[in-house]
Each structure stands twice: as structure tokens, then as C-alpha cells.
């Protein structure tokens, strides 16, 4: 009983710990860089089941904080409910600096949960004093006005607005030798400019200059529709902001031009094998596994990562290693946009197959680059790695205990070694005498099998064609006889409407190989028209048939009519006009 | 009536005589084959080679006989002829494991270190070496039968699956027909030849006194370009061409 209670307690502990591990509290910012004039959106997400109060966040004493509300998201996945509550805050830094915000802490059911921390770099807002504040304007900035060739720069475009805008379109300046690459999605936040609160739409681009020189980045222009607020003093019955703006007017805003100086990379200290890499980089290597048995292989991984012109990261060549066969894998380059430009990681792998036992030293590999932060060339290299190759592992010899457990153990395995070389013997069976050269297709049977199927197909096609033609001829003969039959029926006696309709249906069915139940005037017209009969004749036939139908549906169906001759005339006329 | 009886008897007699001659020839071939096998077993490889060669001349040219002939030449120290016979056997039975083993083994014994290419045709249409010409004919006959059966069925019925079936059959038929044509070309226009001499000088012209360009050894496979008198212009690679005496090499083509 005690044992059962212990197991139950252990199980409960396991379950509760797994639940805690699955829950989490996260802290995130919508950006990693801001100015003292900007407000940053901070979100604390709580996925812990149970009731919690507002989170307590550390590291925000130097910020103005405005709560932005909460949102809750409930999901059912595979019958399990998961709930996530996001607490949103807008924080505005008071002074510049680098801030570590977090962790956010919540207490649920007597237990404390802590989030991660995030870093925010705050710079001083540009001095906008003296400038007349406008309702909407576009501002462009670059991270540095003087930089090196191939050194990435950040081009920042901010649309400040105090009015509602829509239908935005952007025209970036086009300058040869300057490549623009978009960095992430546009950001929206609030910022203070010249004492006014604005909504800001921020777009970031990375610029890389191919050649040295002085460049002027012309202003970027943004087209949009601006919605002015209504001037009427009467309050709208709808207190929705949408109704507080008039219909928009088109507008275009242009940012100021920016002067840029690109200088060439210094020649002093430039390595001979400089790879044109600019930025900040790190290199690391590892051998997995570090110890193997002879005949097995290990994998060497070299990772080059950093920020800068990451697409220029070179493919590293591994120096030859004695008694180790090296097979290079295809390098993999992964890039990701950040607020400070593109970061990248290039992973290069080699399979190492030692040809002997012992210890092998994998030599270090190096990469050089220009460190734009330190204004000098740097060479980084990996640590030499050691690979130990032990003798081939042979299966352990059979032991009495093992044999007793498994019953039969296999013999000790050994490598098959070549002891001698020779050719295999002759083929001496009498059946080896059969068979021939077949240099060219010979024999009646071959040609019979090749020619018989197409001949059979041709014969079958001919038979089918003849059969079809006979059927068509028969139909034609029948259709020609249809008029004769109709004429005979009509001239034999005066007929009533029902009989005439019946005769007409028989004519149409026979003449055109149809199986109509009831012939309406429209159908008759369509059938004749389709066969190339003129419009007048079709109308005549439709009128006559409509007259017959009228007679039938007005109770005069049994009354004798003298329409037979007219119908014969119309049909004869139609026969002449058939295509 | 009497004439008719005589005619029938004559036809029966001729047919019987032909059957007897055929049987006699078969018995004769079996005897030669038996003698060749015995000679090989007893170590008389020259005699065995003669007997296998005799069978091939009698019209029993098949892959097994060329293989046995190759073995006999190898045992009698003629590696060049052995490789030549193995190459011929390979055209007739390309998947025979014994042949592939022996051919690789004997080619390993060659002096010249050359990378042997398969030729443009065989390397582009890699499946050509999977079957011999007779097998390609059989595959073509089957595809032919399937295609036209589908076409005949199409005349009488037209279900929705029929058009894709016919298109597929036509595609396969075309591919197989093309393969048959290429294989036929490969077999009948094979320009490869094997060096039969232990060592052979390749000259710059078809005369004894011409400059020696390079030297080849027994078993090396070269490509024949053209013949003048008793001389053959051969090519080993784009930068190795020259003239050799016709009796120094022998073409793989049968």
C-alpha cells in the first residue's frame, strides 16, 4: 500500500512538473532601438493556466508607462485547451542608454513565474526645435554619413502623421552602386516631435555601396490619401473616428536629400587573401563525434556568423589531412534581417573518414575581414580539433551468461579479406550453346509480331469505317423516305391537328434520326435552322406548328384542317434548303 | 494421282533429310562443345580456344561461347584477345555476373592506366547496356502489341481512361523503338578495337619510319577512325591519335 502511495505521489509530481514546464511567461518589444521621443510597445504574454494578477516588470523605472489593455486568446488543440493572455504597455524612455527590460514576474497559485529579459537601445531624439510642426511629413535618416565600401548602412524612413492616411505608395531613390534591401516589416508607433505627439510609420533599409565616392541620396517620396478632420461644429450622430474625417485628398510627401561619403577600405594591413568581408564576425568549429572506431566517419562543422555584408561570406577550404579522406558538403547560408542590418550564419560541413587508427589533428581554418567598428582588418580562426580513431570494435566474445540468456549466440564476425585473385570458370552447360547473335532482326516471327498489330488495327479501322458508312447511308435513305411518307399521309385524307402533329413528329424523327416525344414549334425551328434552312422557312414551320398546337389545346384537336398541303409545301422548301 | 503421290513423297523425303542434317549438325556442335570444355579442364587452353572458335564459326555465336573463349585466351596468356572476347560477350549478355567479374579482373591486369569511357551513346542512354539487342527486340514486340491492342480497343469503346492509356503506350513505344534503334547502331557500328600485341608503337603516319607518338600495351581499348592499306588510324583521346598496323588490333564488332 505504501509503495502504491509513493508511486501515485511520484506520478502526480511528474504530471505537475510537466504542466509547469509547458507554461510560460514571455516579454517582447516591437523594436530593439528607439529614441527618447518614441514610444515602444511592450507585450507580456502569460500562458500559465490559472488566475493571475498584472505582471510586475523590472527595468522600466526610466520609462513613462501607459497601459495598452489586455487580450486573451483561447485555443483548443487535440481536445486540450490552451489560454494565453497578453498584457500590452506603451513605454517611452526618459533618457538615452541601453536598457535591460525584464524579467516580468507573475504569481499564480502561489508560484512565481518569470519571463525573459530584452534589450532596448535608446538614443537621443533629434532636436526639432524651431521647425514648424506639420500634420504629415516624411523624414529620412542614415545610420552613418561616412562609411566604407561594402559596409552596410541603415536608411531609415519615418512618416510622421497626426491625420488619418491611406493608400500609401513609396518611391525609393534609385542610385547606381547603392543597393537597397528592405529590413523586416514596417513598424508603427507613437513619437513626440517638436512637442507634438505623432503616429509614426517606420521603414528600414540596408544600403551597401559597391564603390567609393560621394553620393547624394535624393529624397524618397510617399504618395497617400490624407483624410482631413471635419470642420463642422455639429457633432456627428456617429461618434466613430471614421465619421469624423472628410473624404480624402491625394497628397505626396518627400523626404530631404542625404549626402553620403563612401571611402575605400584601407590598404594598410590588408591581408593578401582578403575576402571582401566587412562587418563583425565570429568563427567556431566542432567535430562530432570526437572519438570513432576505424571504418566509421565523423563530421567537422565550421560556422561563420556575424553582421555586415553577410552574402560575401566565403566558402572555406579545409587543408588536407594525412590519412583522412575528406568529403565536403554544400555550405548553407542563412540570413535574417535585424534592426541593425542583416545578420548571417554560414555553416560548412565535411565528412571525415580516417584511413587508419590513431589521433588526428584537424587543422584550424581562418577567415579575414574588415572590422568596421574597429577600423582595422582582423583574422579569426578556429581551434584545432582532435579526432581519435580507435581500432574497429569487434563483437564481444560469447559468454556463458549471455548464452544462457539468448540461447544461441552467433559466431565472432571478421572482415572478409581477399586471399587470392583469379577468373571464374567456363560456362559448360549444353543450354549455353543456344541463343544467337541477333545483330539484325531476323526470323519470320519477329516481323510477324511487329507487323501483325498495325495490320490488325488497319483492318479493324477499315471495318469500322465501312460499318459507319453503311449506317450513315441507311439513315440517309430513311430520311429521304421521310418526306414521301409525310406527303402520303397528308394527301391521303384531310387530317385533324393531332394527326398532323403526329405526322410531323414522325417526319422529324425519321428525317433527322431523332427520338423526340413532343415536337414544339421552337424545337422544330431550331432543328431546321441547324440544318441550314432559311429563317423564313423556319418561321413558316414554327407558325404552322404553333397553329396546330393552338388547335389541340383549345379543344379543336379532332377538327379536320386543311393545313396538310401547306406543311408539305414548307417541308419541300426546307428539303431544298438543307445544307 | 501418281504424280501427286510422288510429289508428296519427295517433299517428305527432303524435309526428313534436312531434319537429319540439322540433328547431325547439332550433335556435331555438342561434341565440339564437349571437347572444348574437356580441353579447358585438362589445361589445354589453346585447343579449347580453337574449339570454341570453331563453334562460333558454325553459327553458335552467343555470349557464353565468347565468354569461354575469353577465359581460354586469358589462360593461354593472350590478355588482349581475352578482353576482346569479353567485350563481344558483354554485347550479348550484359548482365552476366561471371562475365562482369572476369572482364574487370582481366582489365585490371592491363599495363596502360587509362580511364575507360562508355562512349557518348551508352553514357547518355545508360539503359542501353542493361539489355542486349535480342532483348530489346522482345521488349519492342510487347510494347507494339500493347499499343495496337489499345488502339483497336479505342475503335470499339472510349472510356475516360483510354486516351491517357494510349498516350502513355505511345510514349513508351517511342522510347523503346528509339532504344532499339540506338542499340542496333551501337552493336553494328561499334568502332572499338582492342590492342592484341604486348607492346605497340603508335606512329604519326601510316609508314614504318614515322615518328612514334606514344606506346600502348595489350588489352587497351582504342577507337578506329579509318583504314589505309594495312594501317589503321586510331584514337585514344582527343590528344592521342595515331597510326598502327592493322594486325596489331582487332575490332570488337562481330
Amino acid at each position: 500500500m505504501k509503495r502504491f502511495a509513493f508511486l501515485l505521489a511520484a506520478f502526480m509530481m511528474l504530471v505537475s512538473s510537466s504542466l509547469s514546464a509547458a507554461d510560460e511567461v514571455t516579454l517582447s518589444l516591437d523594436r530593439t532601438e528607439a529614441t527618447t521621443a518614441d514610444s515602444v510597445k511592450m507585450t507580456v504574454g502569460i500562458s500559465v493556466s490559472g488566475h493571475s494578477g498584472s505582471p510586475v516588470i523590472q527595468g522600466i523605472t526610466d520609462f513613462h508607462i501607459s497601459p495598452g489593455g489586455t487580450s486573451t486568446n483561447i485555443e483548443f488543440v487535440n481536445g486540450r485547451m490552451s489560454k494565453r493572455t497578453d498584457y500590452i504597455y506603451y513605454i517611452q524612455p526618459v533618457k538615452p542608454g541601453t536598457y535591460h527590460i525584464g524579467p516580468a514576474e507573475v504569481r499564480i497559485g502561489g508560484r512565481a513565474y518569470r519571463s525573459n529579459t530584452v534589450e532596448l537601445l535608446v538614443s537621443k531624439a533629434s532636436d526639432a526645435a524651431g521647425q514648424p510642426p506639420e500634420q504629415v511629413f516624411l523624414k529620412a535618416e542614415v545610420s552613418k554619413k561616412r562609411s566604407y565600401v561594402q559596409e552596410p548602412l541603415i536608411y531609415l524612413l519615418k512618416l510622421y502623421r497626426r491625420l488619418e492616411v491611406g493608400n500609401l505608395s513609396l518611391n525609393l531613390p534609385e542610385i547606381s552602386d547603392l543597393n537597397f534591401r528592405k529590413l523586416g516589416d514596417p513598424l508603427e508607433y507613437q513619437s513626440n516631435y517638436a512637442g507634438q505627439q505623432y503616429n509614426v510609420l517606420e521603414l528600414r533599409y540596408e544600403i551597401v555601396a559597391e564603390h567609393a565616392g560621394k553620393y547624394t541620396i535624393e529624397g524618397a517620396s510617399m504618395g497617400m490619401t490624407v483624410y482631413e478632420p471635419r470642420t463642422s461644429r455639429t457633432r456627428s450622430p456617429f461618434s466613430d473616428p471614421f465619421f469624423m474625417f472628410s473624404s480624402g485628398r491625394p497628397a505626396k510627401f518627400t523626404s530631404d536629400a542625404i549626402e553620403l561619403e563612401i571611402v575605400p577600405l584601407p590598404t594598410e594591413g590588408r591581408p593578401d587573401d582578403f575576402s571582401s568581408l566587412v562587418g563583425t564576425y565570429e568563427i567556431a568549429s566542432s567535430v562530432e563525434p570526437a572519438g570513432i572506431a576505424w571504418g566509421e566517419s565523423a563530421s567537422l562543422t565550421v560556422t561563420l556568423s556575424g553582421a555586415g555584408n553577410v552574402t560575401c561570406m566565403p566558402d572555406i577550404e579545409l587543408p588536407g589531412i594525412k590519412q583522412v579522406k575528406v568529403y565536403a558538403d554544400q555550405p548553407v547560408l542563412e540570413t535574417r534581417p535585424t534592426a541593425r542590418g542583416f545578420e548571417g550564419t554560414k555553416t560548412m560541413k565535411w565528412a571525415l573518414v580516417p584511413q587508419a587508427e590513431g589521433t588526428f589533428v584537424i587543422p584550424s581554418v581562418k577567415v579575414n575581414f574588415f572590422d568596421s567598428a574597429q577600423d582595422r582588418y582582423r583574422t579569426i580562426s578556429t581551434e584545432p580539433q582532435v579526432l581519435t580513431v580507435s581500432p574497429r570494435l569487434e563483437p564481444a566474445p560469447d559468454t556463458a551468461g549471455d548464452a544462457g540468456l539468448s540461447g544461441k549466440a552467433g559466431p565472432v564476425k571478421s572482415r572478409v579479406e581477399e586471399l587470392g585473385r583469379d577468373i571464374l570458370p567456363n560456362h559448360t552447360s549444353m543450354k549455353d550453346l543456344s541463343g544467337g547473335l541477333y545483330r539484325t532482326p531476323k526470323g519470320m516471327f519477329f516481323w510477324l509480331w511487329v507487323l501483325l498489330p498495325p495490320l490488325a488495327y488497319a483492318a479493324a479501322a477499315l471495318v469500322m469505317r465501312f460499318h459507319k458508312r453503311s449506317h450513315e447511308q441507311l439513315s440517309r435513305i430513311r430520311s429521304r423516305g421521310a418526306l414521301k411518307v409525310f406527303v402520303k399521309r397528308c394527301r391521303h385524307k384531310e387530317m385533324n391537328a393531332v394527326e398532323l402533329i403526329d405526322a410531323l413528329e414522325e417526319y422529324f424523327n425519321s428525317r433527322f434520326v431523332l427520338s423526340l416525344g413532343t415536337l414544339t414549334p421552337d424545337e422544330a425551328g431550331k432543328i431546321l435552322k441547324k440544318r441550314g434552312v432559311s429563317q423564313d422557312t423556319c418561321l413558316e414551320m414554327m407558325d404552322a406548328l404553333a397553329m396546330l398546337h393552338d388547335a389541340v389545346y383549345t379543344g379543336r384537336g379532332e377538327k379536320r384542317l386543311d393545313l396538310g398541303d401547306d406543311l408539305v409545301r414548307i417541308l419541300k422548301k426546307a428539303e431544298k434548303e438543307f445544307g | 494421282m501418281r504424280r501427286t503421290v510422288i510429289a508428296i513423297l519427295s517433299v517428305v523425303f527432303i524435309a526428313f533429310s534436312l531434319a537429319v542434317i540439322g540433328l547431325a549438325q547439332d550433335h556435331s556442335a555438342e561434341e565440339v562443345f564437349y571437347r572444348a570444355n574437356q580441353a579447358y579442364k585438362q589445361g589445354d587452353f589453346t585447343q579449347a580456344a580453337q574449339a570454341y572458335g570453331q563453334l562460333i564459326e558454325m553459327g553458335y555465336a552467343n555470349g557464353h561461347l565468347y565468354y569461354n573463349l575469353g577465359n581460354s585466351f586469358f589462360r593461354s596468356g593472350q590478355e588482349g584477345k581475352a578482353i576482346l572476347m569479353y567485350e563481344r560477350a558483354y554485347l550479348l549478355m550484359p548482365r552476366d555476373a561471371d562475365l562482369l567479374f572476369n572482364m574487370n579482373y582481366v582489365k585490371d591486369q592491363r599495363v596502360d592506366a587509362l580511364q575507360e569511357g562508355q562512349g557518348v551513346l551508352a553514357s547518355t542512354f545508360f539503359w542501353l547496356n542493361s539489355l542486349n539487342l535480342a532483348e530489346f527486340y522482345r521488349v519492342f514486340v510487347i510494347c507494339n502489341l500493347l499499343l495496337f491492342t489499345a488502339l483497336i480497343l479505342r475503335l470499339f469503346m472510349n472510356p475516360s481512361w483510354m486516351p491517357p492509356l494510349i498516350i502513355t503506350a505511345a510514349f513508351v513505344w517511342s522510347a523503346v523503338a528509339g532504344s532499339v534503334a540506338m542499340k542496333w547502331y551501337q552493336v553494328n557500328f561499334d568502332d572499338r578495337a582492342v590492342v592484341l600485341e604486348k607492346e605497340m608503337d603508335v606512329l604519326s603516319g601510316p609508314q614504318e619510319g614515322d615518328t612514334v607518338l606514344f606506346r600502348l600495351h595489350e588489352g587497351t581499348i582504342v577507337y578506329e577512325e579509318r583504314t589505309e592499306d594495312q594501317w589503321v588510324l586510331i584514337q585514344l583521346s582527343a590528344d592521342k591519335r595515331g597510326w598502327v598496323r592493322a594486325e596489331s588490333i582487332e575490332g570488337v564488332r562481330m
Side-chain angles (χ1 to χ4, degrees):
Chain A
M1 188 62 192
K2 272 183 183 176
R3 192 175 175 183
F4 174 73
F6 173 75
L7 284 173
L8 187 65
F11 176 74
M12 293 298 285
M13 280 176 72
L14 191 70
V15 169
S16 66
S17 68
S18 68
L19 284 174
S20 297
D23 299 331
E24 58 180 345
V25 178
T26 57
L27 190 150
S28 61
L29 302 178
D30 66 342
R31 47 218 294 245
T32 55
E33 286 183 4
T35 67
T36 49
D38 300 343
S39 72
V40 178
K41 185 182 176 185
M42 177 174 71
T43 306
V44 178
I46 301 171
S47 305
V48 185
S49 50
H51 182 70
S52 70
S54 295
V56 178
I57 306 158
Q58 294 176 18
I60 49 173
T61 49
D62 289 330
F63 290 82
H64 294 301
I65 302 156
S66 312
T70 58
S71 69
T72 304
N73 183 28
I74 298 174
E75 281 186 348
F76 284 90
V77 179
N78 295 332
R80 285 192 64 180
M81 185 186 80
S82 63
K83 181 183 163 192
R84 180 186 163 89
T85 305
D86 286 339
Y87 289 82
I88 298 162
Y89 304 89
Y90 291 96
I91 57 173
Q92 187 175 5
V94 175
K95 56 184 180 184
T98 303
Y99 294 92
H100 295 277
I101 300 170
E105 186 179 313
V106 287
R107 296 194 73 82
I108 300 169
R111 187 177 165 185
Y113 294 88
R114 288 186 161 204
S115 74
N116 55 311
T117 59
V118 290
E119 189 183 274
L120 180 65
L121 184 68
V122 178
S123 54
K124 195 182 173 194
S126 57
D127 188 9
Q131 289 184 16
E134 293 173 24
Q135 298 284 57
V136 181
F137 62 94
L138 190 63
K139 206 166 178 307
E141 297 165 12
V142 285
S143 54
K144 280 167 85 177
K145 295 210 168 177
R146 186 176 184 276
S147 74
Y148 291 102
V149 170
Q150 288 288 340
E151 181 189 355
L153 297 171
I154 305 299
Y155 179 77
L156 206 58
L157 207 54
K158 291 179 179 177
L159 176 71
Y160 287 79
R161 60 185 175 85
R162 301 187 68 204
L163 300 175
E164 284 297 314
V165 296
N167 305 324
L168 296 173
S169 64
L170 175 67
N171 279 327
L172 280 174
E174 284 182 13
I175 305 159
S176 59
D177 294 343
L178 284 186
N179 298 323
F180 283 79
R181 283 176 77 192
K182 196 178 172 190
L183 286 169
D185 295 326
L187 279 176
E188 280 195 279
Y189 55 89
Q190 288 193 329
S191 182
N192 195 303
Y193 191 88
Q196 300 271 18
Q197 193 73 13
Y198 284 88
N199 287 318
V200 180
L201 176 71
E202 181 185 296
L203 298 112
R204 275 174 186 260
Y205 293 87
E206 185 189 77
I207 307 176
V208 176
E210 299 287 337
H211 300 104
K214 288 194 173 179
Y215 295 89
T216 302
I217 304 176
E218 298 297 336
S221 64
M222 196 177 270
M224 65 194 77
T225 307
V226 178
Y227 300 95
E228 300 278 359
R230 288 180 189 279
T231 52
S232 167
R233 295 187 178 212
T234 55
R235 190 174 167 76
S236 166
F238 308 99
S239 57
D240 190 299
F242 179 79
F243 296 101
M244 294 172 73
F245 288 93
S246 66
S247 59
R249 62 174 173 82
K252 193 172 185 180
F253 298 92
T254 306
S255 67
D256 293 333
I258 296 174
E259 298 292 330
L260 204 61
E261 186 186 0
I262 306 294
V263 295
L265 291 170
T267 49
E268 188 186 343
R270 182 194 296 231
D272 293 337
D273 56 345
F274 176 58
S275 59
S276 78
L277 201 58
V278 179
T280 313
Y281 296 91
E282 290 175 346
I283 193 166
S285 73
S286 65
V287 173
E288 284 290 331
I292 54 171
W294 189 87
E296 293 176 351
S297 67
S299 177
L300 170 68
T301 306
V302 173
T303 311
L304 179 62
S305 58
N309 57 344
V310 290
T311 51
C312 293
M313 284 201 275
D315 291 347
I316 293 169
E317 282 187 19
L318 188 67
I321 310 163
K322 245 186 177 180
Q323 293 193 306
V324 176
K325 280 191 176 174
V326 178
Y327 302 97
D329 207 349
Q330 192 69 26
V332 177
L333 175 65
E334 287 175 354
T335 60
R336 54 200 169 274
T338 68
R340 293 167 202 171
F342 276 93
E343 288 181 359
T345 304
K346 191 163 202 173
T347 308
M348 289 149 278
K349 290 190 172 189
W350 292 266
L352 308 175
V353 185
Q355 302 298 297
E357 300 161 9
T359 302
F360 297 89
V361 177
I362 315 299
S364 65
V365 291
K366 63 173 187 175
V367 170
N368 49 53
F369 65 95
F370 182 76
D371 191 333
S372 51
Q374 298 181 16
D375 280 353
R376 66 183 178 93
Y377 290 97
R378 281 178 57 200
T379 301
I380 49 174
S381 57
T382 59
E383 293 290 325
Q385 303 286 328
V386 176
L387 176 64
T388 310
V389 182
S390 56
R392 177 181 284 275
L393 292 172
E394 302 292 353
D398 193 8
T399 61
D402 287 344
L405 283 173
S406 60
K408 281 182 184 177
V412 176
K413 301 283 189 292
S414 63
R415 212 168 345 138
V416 178
E417 288 182 9
E418 197 173 70
L419 301 173
R421 297 192 75 193
D422 200 355
I423 59 169
L424 297 172
N426 274 358
H427 293 174
T428 54
S429 167
M430 279 300 164
K431 70 177 171 55
D432 294 337
L433 261 181
S434 61
L437 188 56
Y438 292 110
R439 189 184 292 145
T440 51
K442 282 177 188 169
M444 195 177 66
F445 283 106
F446 172 77
W447 291 111
L448 195 68
W449 281 112
V450 169
L451 296 176
L452 202 61
L455 287 175
Y457 171 70
L462 276 174
V463 168
M464 286 297 288
R465 196 170 173 186
F466 178 74
H467 180 72
K468 195 178 172 187
R469 193 173 283 176
S470 309
H471 185 71
E472 280 171 1
Q473 279 175 346
L474 194 67
S475 302
R476 211 173 296 144
I477 292 162
R478 267 188 74 191
S479 53
R480 277 179 194 158
L483 186 63
K484 280 184 189 170
V485 172
F486 183 80
V487 172
K488 201 182 274 182
R489 280 183 73 173
C490 288
R491 287 189 175 161
H492 197 248
K493 54 178 179 176
E494 274 195 345
M495 298 167 78
N496 62 30
V498 175
E499 288 167 339
L500 281 171
I501 289 173
D502 187 48
L504 267 178
E505 282 173 355
E506 189 186 346
Y507 168 80
F508 270 83
N509 284 335
S510 303
R511 180 65 181 85
F512 305 116
V513 197
L514 301 170
S515 53
L516 295 168
T518 306
L519 182 70
T520 63
D522 282 346
E523 274 179 339
K526 277 182 192 169
I527 291 166
L528 293 178
K529 198 173 178 184
K530 201 174 164 188
R531 266 75 179 179
V533 175
S534 68
Q535 185 74 15
D536 291 344
T537 314
C538 290
L539 286 174
E540 272 189 276
M541 171 55 73
M542 286 166 74
D543 289 343
L545 198 54
M547 210 181 287
L548 291 173
H549 278 282
D550 283 348
V552 171
Y553 296 126
T554 53
R556 294 178 286 123
E558 300 297 328
K559 198 178 173 185
R560 305 282 168 194
L561 295 170
D562 55 353
L563 268 173
D565 290 341
D566 281 347
L567 286 172
V568 169
R569 181 185 55 77
I570 294 167
L571 287 179
K572 279 186 175 173
K573 197 176 162 191
E575 284 282 348
K576 284 179 187 168
E577 292 172 357
F578 283 141
Chain B
M1 181 67 186
R2 197 176 171 186
R3 279 184 184 173
T4 311
V5 171
I6 290 169
I8 290 170
L9 284 174
S10 304
V11 169
V12 169
F13 176 75
I14 290 165
F16 181 75
S17 304
L18 285 174
V20 167
I21 290 166
L23 276 173
Q25 197 178 355
D26 278 354
H27 280 299
S28 162
E30 283 175 5
E31 272 177 32
V32 175
F33 189 56
Y34 178 77
R35 271 196 288 111
N37 292 340
Q38 285 302 111
Y40 187 89
K41 270 183 192 169
Q42 288 159 11
D44 190 352
F45 302 115
T46 311
Q47 182 64 37
Q50 276 178 1
Y52 288 129
Q54 188 186 342
L55 280 169
I56 289 169
E57 280 172 12
M58 285 166 70
Y60 292 89
N62 67 28
H64 300 288
L65 288 179
Y66 277 113
Y67 165 79
N68 290 351
L69 193 53
N71 285 354
S72 306
F73 280 129
F74 176 71
R75 292 282 188 219
S76 59
Q78 300 178 73
E79 285 172 12
K81 282 201 167 179
I83 289 172
L84 178 72
M85 295 307 152
Y86 288 146
E87 286 291 347
R88 287 176 178 174
Y90 181 68
L91 288 174
L92 300 167
M93 43 183 209
R95 299 181 308 282
D96 188 273
D98 287 0
L99 169 66
L100 295 174
F101 181 89
N102 286 8
M103 187 158 67
N104 285 336
Y105 173 71
V106 178
K107 282 183 174 178
D108 259 5
Q109 312 291 312
R110 291 182 295 194
V111 175
D112 293 327
L114 291 168
Q115 195 67 37
E116 207 167 275
Q118 283 192 310
V120 179
L121 202 65
S123 51
T124 310
F125 306 99
F126 54 89
W127 60 90
L128 288 184
N129 284 343
S130 311
L131 302 175
N132 66 24
L133 191 53
E135 287 164 339
F136 267 112
Y137 289 151
R138 283 177 207 138
V139 173
F140 176 70
V141 161
I142 292 166
C143 290
N144 193 50
L145 202 61
L146 289 175
L147 173 65
F148 283 100
T149 305
L151 284 171
I152 290 169
L153 285 175
R154 169 80 173 73
L155 292 173
F156 299 100
M157 56 162 109
N158 193 19
S160 59
W161 46 264
M162 189 57 93
L165 177 78
I166 288 176
I167 290 167
T168 310
F171 178 77
V172 172
W173 186 93
S174 309
V176 172
S179 300
V180 168
M182 284 186 282
K183 185 72 184 181
W184 182 86
Y185 179 84
Q186 191 189 37
V187 170
N188 290 282
F189 292 89
D190 195 346
D191 57 353
R192 291 174 304 153
V194 181
V195 177
L196 301 180
E197 291 184 359
K198 290 286 175 202
E199 194 172 271
M200 175 184 81
D201 289 340
V202 182
L203 308 180
S204 61
Q207 283 177 356
E208 284 298 345
D210 284 325
T211 311
V212 177
L213 298 176
F214 53 96
R215 193 160 285 153
L216 292 176
H217 296 87
E218 189 176 17
T220 299
I221 293 177
V222 297
Y223 295 89
E224 290 179 298
E225 284 195 12
R226 67 171 191 271
T227 307
E228 277 183 24
D229 296 332
Q230 293 301 306
W231 292 82
V232 182
L233 176 62
I234 60 155
Q235 186 185 24
L236 202 61
S237 58
D239 60 340
K240 282 199 168 50
R241 296 169 74 232
W243 291 86
V244 296
R245 293 200 69 84
E247 65 267 20
S248 309
I249 58 171
E250 188 171 340
V252 173
R253 190 167 58 225
M254 290 170 275

